[in-house]
Structure formats: structure tokens, C-alpha cells
Amino acid sequence: MPGVHLWLNFLESLSEMELVGCVLHIKFPLSSELLFVVVVLVHFPAKFTVIGPHNPVAAILGQETVLPCHLFPRMSAANMEVRWFRSQFVPFVHLYRDGKDQYERQMPEYQGRTELLKAGLTDGNVHLRILNIRHSDEGKYHCFVQDDTFYEETVLELRVAGLGSAPLISVEGHQDGGIRVVCRSAGWYPEPEVQWKGLNGRRLPSLSETKSQGYNNLFETETVIIVTEQSNQNLSCCIRNAVLNQEKESAVYMADPFFPKVNSWLVALSMILVVLFGFIGLTVYLFKMKGKYQREKYTPALTLPQANVTLDPDTAHPKLILSEDRKSVRWGGMWQDLSNNPERFDTVFCVLGCEGFTLGRHCWEVEVGDGTFWAVGVARESVGRKGWISRSPEGGIWAVEWWWGQFRALTSPVTLLPLSRAPSRIRICLDCERGQVTFIDAGDDTQIFTFPPGSIPGERIRPWLWVLGPQLRLCP
């Protein structure tokens, strides 16, 4: 029973006790309450204690982490119930019971992202792995273990963190008799600690410091310092994540010629030259970026390599039939005897690709033929699988479809596309860095529709197909 060892310590502090044979003798009269405690201790000893870490567990956004938890003394938990939950017992984060995982009442936000590490169950380890860490995962978790009528639990805390970019130091002209130096960085969570350091690590005061939350709630920081010729010309900008206890640092040395001198006309001439060369460099850079943008915007099909995409049978609706090579799918019209796993679509006739993309730029083609109803595109890996889902960016889907002779982009509301006929083959181009997907007629390389940059979130993205009729085929 939980807390039995506390009562033992209490009784031991009251008097001496002797154990003669199988009878417990106490050298002073016991009250009825103490006698009851002794009887409970003798007949109902504690079976085990559930132990977790005392300090919070740190996890990095987008990566995976393990919440440690084990039984003491060590014993097998293979035939016990292991339940991980947040503030409520049901719905749960993860449930293991009757020798297998149970998903029926799992919290939707954890579906497909949790795994009980069963290799350690026989040793009393009931660790939980969580994939693709999100901001919402931060907080307290209960590790609950039950054997028959006896149960114990412990509470541990998960802290989510993001390690941002290395500090970028730039010199931005003269100010107040010195040089204005700016340090910038982005991609931090939670709000980082920022400081300037001089020689021997001595902390330097900053002129100003600005922090803001940008895309995906990650923090951006900018801090300014004025460096004079009399002050420390060796300086570094250090940004630290307190949760991970990690930091990134960049250094710079300000040479004497950078500081303003008595000859003001030389200073003015130098500044004019700096501005002039800077303007020329910026102009050249902008022209290059414009050309690159135009090439990416209008000819993405010519610059992207073909991705080898196959279909995931574990996600296919029971009325969809996949080919043996998992390159094509058609609507069969009859329910197949397939397991209703958490990954499978059970209402909308969808299937996902096996491949998922988080970085880089990727391209694949789908042969749509002359079908009457179909849609092709991409979906986030956490897209809803059960019941009716919204086939739109709000529902985690970015696609185009052919519906009753109309070609439409699945925006919210839908966008009618000025095409009188559907292409026979569509090229899908995904740019994870820009958060953008483009659809192209593979027959003549004309652009059909592009979802704007930043539309797709920074999580794992998979190919997505919807069909009601003849087959769709992924082209080699």
C-alpha cells in the first residue's frame, strides 16, 4: 500500500518492537488505531513504488524524447496496466493493458506520436517515447501502474525548448562617438538569455534589447551595443537556453581604423564609400535574389529532383484498393476486412504516402487519367483520420481536385481554376523551407496553382490522395 514505509518509521520511533516466531510483540499498550495499522502492515505489504525523475525532462521542438519511469523494487510490468495521462485519467496520453497498447480513448493530439518502450517492461521500466515534440506537450505527466487492485503513480514534468541559430553580429555605423554593433538570432524557445561579453568573459552592458515571438511561437532577439576605442574592442554575443543549459556564441574584434578620428572629412569620405559599396553590393544581391525567385516561381519543375513516393496501406480507407507495388490506388466500392488502426482513414476515401518530408524541396507526379472525382496534394502527418475531415488547409490538407467537370483548389472556400479539362498527369512540388506547394500540368509544364509561402506548417508533410472511381497512379 502507498505510504506504508511512513507508518513503519512512525511505529519504530514510538517504542522497541520484537518479533518472536511469527508474533509481533510491542513493549507498551497499543491503541485500537495503532493496532489496526500494525495488522494492515503485516497482512498487506506494499508491492512496489513508481519512480520518475525529480528534475524536469527537457525536450527539443520537432524531435523526440523519452519520459523515464520505473518500478521499485525491479519487477516485470508486462502483465500490468501502464497508463500515462495529463490532468485527466481519461482521455489518456498512452495506455498499455492486457499485454498490448490500447488506443480507443487516446487524446487526439498524441495519436501516432507515442510509444511505450516494451523492451524494458520485464525489468520494470515503463518509459514513454513521444515523437515530434510540440509546444503543447509541455507540462506535467502522470505515470500510473496497476497490478490487480494495487496501484501506484508518480508525476514528472516535461519542459519544451528550441535551440535557435548562431548569433549574427553586424556593424551598423557610428553612434555616440563609437561603433554601433547589433547581434541578432532566431528560433529560440522559451525566451533566451542574451548578453554581450568582453575580454575574459566580462559582461558588458547593452544599449537596447528586443525580443519577439515570430513563426511557430519561436523567439527572435536583437541586442545593440556601442563600442568605443577606449572600451573593450574584443567582444562576443552569447545567447543561452536555460532549459537545455546550452548556448551559442559569436565573437568579433573591432580594429582601430573603424573608430572615428579627428579628421572628420576622412570619416565622412569613408562612410560615403562604405554606403556606396554597400549599395552596389545590395543592388547586385537583390538582382540575384529576384532572378532566383523568378526561376523558383515559374520553373519549379525544372529544378526539383523526382521523389520516389509509395502509398502507405496502413492509412488507406477500407474501400480503397492498393496495387502490389503500392504505386496506384482505386476505389473498390466494398469494405475490406482491415484493422481499424489509429492511422487509417475510416470515412473519407484517402490514403497517405509512406514518405514524409520536413526539409528540402521535393517533387513527384500523379497520373489521374480521366476519372470523374479525385484530388491530389499533401497533408500534415497529424491530419485527422477518423470521421469527416476538412479537406482544406485548416484541416491540414493542401490539394487540388477534379469534381463534376470543375477543377478546384481546396482552399477555404474552394478556388475555381480556369481550366476546361483536367490534366492527365499532375506534378506536385513541395518546398519545406518556404512552406509552399505548387501544382503543375506535367504535360506542358504550365503552373496550375500555388499555395502561398508559409501556408504549410513546419512539421512532417506526406503525399495525400483522394479517389472515388478509376485509379490514380504515382508515376516512376
Side-chain angles (χ1 to χ4, degrees):
M1 296 177 63
V4 167
H5 56 283
L6 298 178
W7 284 105
L8 280 173
N9 293 337
F10 174 70
L11 288 176
E12 288 174 354
S13 67
L14 291 178
S15 66
E16 293 182 324
M17 294 184 290
E18 295 179 87
L19 186 61
V20 180
C22 294
V23 181
L24 182 66
H25 293 273
I26 302 178
K27 294 184 178 181
F28 68 97
L30 288 174
S31 67
S32 59
E33 290 82 358
L34 290 178
L35 182 59
F36 171 78
V37 171
V38 172
V39 172
V40 170
L41 291 176
V42 172
H43 291 283
F44 303 99
K47 290 185 177 181
F48 57 80
T49 301
V50 179
I51 298 177
H54 295 293
N55 297 323
V57 177
I60 300 178
L61 282 167
Q63 299 187 16
E64 65 179 51
T65 193
V66 174
L67 300 181
C69 184
H70 68 272
L71 305 183
F72 180 83
R74 296 284 184 176
M75 62 180 68
S76 176
N79 296 319
M80 300 182 186
E81 175 181 320
V82 179
R83 182 186 298 260
W84 286 86
F85 63 95
R86 299 293 298 268
S87 58
Q88 295 180 333
F89 199 70
V90 178
F92 48 79
V93 175
H94 194 95
L95 176 61
Y96 171 86
R97 186 168 58 195
D98 300 328
K100 59 183 180 180
D101 298 313
Q102 310 286 339
Y103 296 103
E104 184 176 353
R105 304 193 67 182
Q106 186 181 30
M107 298 173 68
E109 57 266 36
Y110 289 95
Q111 290 179 2
R113 296 199 301 123
T114 61
E115 177 189 2
L116 189 71
L117 302 184
K118 300 182 182 62
L121 284 177
T122 55
D123 296 325
N125 296 321
V126 291
H127 308 328
L128 180 71
R129 174 183 286 136
I130 303 179
L131 307 176
N132 191 20
I133 292 295
R134 307 171 180 173
H135 291 94
S136 58
D137 295 336
E138 189 168 68
K140 296 185 182 299
Y141 289 75
H142 295 253
C143 176
F144 173 94
V145 182
Q146 180 171 352
D147 185 18
D148 296 328
T149 59
F150 180 84
Y151 63 87
E152 269 280 14
E153 71 174 296
T154 188
V155 180
L156 57 153
E157 183 179 0
L158 177 66
R159 297 288 303 277
V160 176
L163 197 61
S165 61
L168 176 64
I169 299 178
S170 59
V171 178
E172 300 190 356
H174 292 88
Q175 181 177 339
D176 301 334
I179 299 175
R180 177 186 173 91
V181 182
V182 183
C183 174
R184 298 181 178 90
S185 183
W188 296 85
Y189 186 86
E191 185 175 321
E193 301 172 2
V194 185
Q195 65 178 25
W196 289 99
K197 293 181 180 179
L199 196 62
N200 301 324
R202 182 172 59 90
R203 185 165 185 171
L204 302 175
S206 61
L207 176 66
S208 64
E209 183 176 313
T210 305
K211 296 176 184 176
S212 61
Q213 279 186 285
Y215 174 71
N216 206 16
N217 292 323
L218 299 180
F219 281 90
E220 302 175 359
T221 180
E222 176 180 299
T223 181
V224 180
I225 191 173
I226 302 299
V227 182
T228 63
E229 195 170 9
Q230 291 75 32
S231 65
N232 201 322
Q233 297 173 219
N234 292 280
L235 73 156
S236 64
C237 178
C238 178
I239 304 181
R240 179 175 178 272
N241 187 304
V243 174
L244 299 175
N245 196 24
Q246 297 184 39
E247 62 183 31
K248 292 189 176 182
E249 186 173 6
S250 298
V252 66
Y253 173 74
M254 306 303 301
D256 290 341
F258 280 93
F259 295 95
K261 302 299 180 182
V262 177
N263 296 327
S264 57
W265 67 272
L266 289 177
V267 175
L269 179 60
S270 300
M271 291 299 297
I272 292 173
L273 291 175
V274 169
V275 172
L276 178 61
F277 284 116
F279 177 77
I280 295 173
L282 179 61
T283 302
V284 172
Y285 173 77
L286 290 177
F287 271 108
K288 288 183 178 180
M289 290 301 296
K290 180 179 179 181
K292 179 180 179 182
Y293 172 76
Q294 294 295 336
R295 290 193 300 272
E296 291 180 352
K297 179 178 180 181
Y298 295 109
T299 60
L302 304 179
T303 60
L304 292 183
Q306 288 278 348
N308 184 22
V309 176
T310 56
L311 300 176
D312 185 356
D314 292 335
T315 66
H317 187 279
K319 286 190 177 183
L320 297 183
I321 299 176
L322 271 60
S323 61
E324 291 186 3
D325 61 359
R326 295 190 295 180
K327 286 287 189 177
S328 66
V329 58
R330 63 183 176 87
W331 188 72
M334 300 292 292
W335 282 84
Q336 303 176 79
D337 186 15
L338 301 175
S339 62
N340 186 23
N341 55 57
E343 295 82 12
R344 190 178 304 283
F345 293 95
D346 66 357
T347 303
V348 182
F349 305 128
C350 304
V351 62
L352 294 178
C354 292
E355 294 72 23
F357 308 105
T358 56
L359 299 172
R361 304 169 67 209
H362 311 274
C363 179
W364 62 94
E365 294 184 2
V366 181
E367 189 175 279
V368 297
D370 56 356
T372 306
F373 306 104
W374 52 261
V376 297
V378 299
R380 62 188 182 199
E381 191 166 54
S382 60
V383 66
R385 314 292 173 88
K386 307 303 180 184
W388 288 105
I389 61 176
S390 173
R391 299 185 310 145
S392 66
E394 288 75 9
I397 295 172
W398 296 262
V400 295
E401 74 169 2
W402 184 257
W403 178 266
W404 287 112
Q406 286 187 332
F407 204 36
R408 313 189 299 182
L410 295 182
T411 54
S412 183
V414 297
T415 301
L416 294 180
L417 301 176
L419 294 178
S420 59
R421 63 171 184 85
S424 61
R425 179 182 290 193
I426 294 180
R427 184 176 301 125
I428 303 165
C429 301
L430 172 66
D431 190 332
C432 296
E433 276 69 26
R434 301 183 68 187
Q436 178 178 323
V437 62
T438 300
F439 299 89
I440 298 169
D441 185 342
D444 55 12
D445 283 337
T446 58
Q447 184 173 329
I448 298 172
F449 185 78
T450 298
F451 285 88
S455 300
I456 300 177
E459 66 173 272
R460 191 177 180 87
I461 301 298
R462 298 170 66 176
W464 175 87
L465 302 177
W466 175 85
V467 61
L468 182 62
Q471 75 172 8
L472 302 180
R473 180 164 184 80
L474 295 166
C475 303

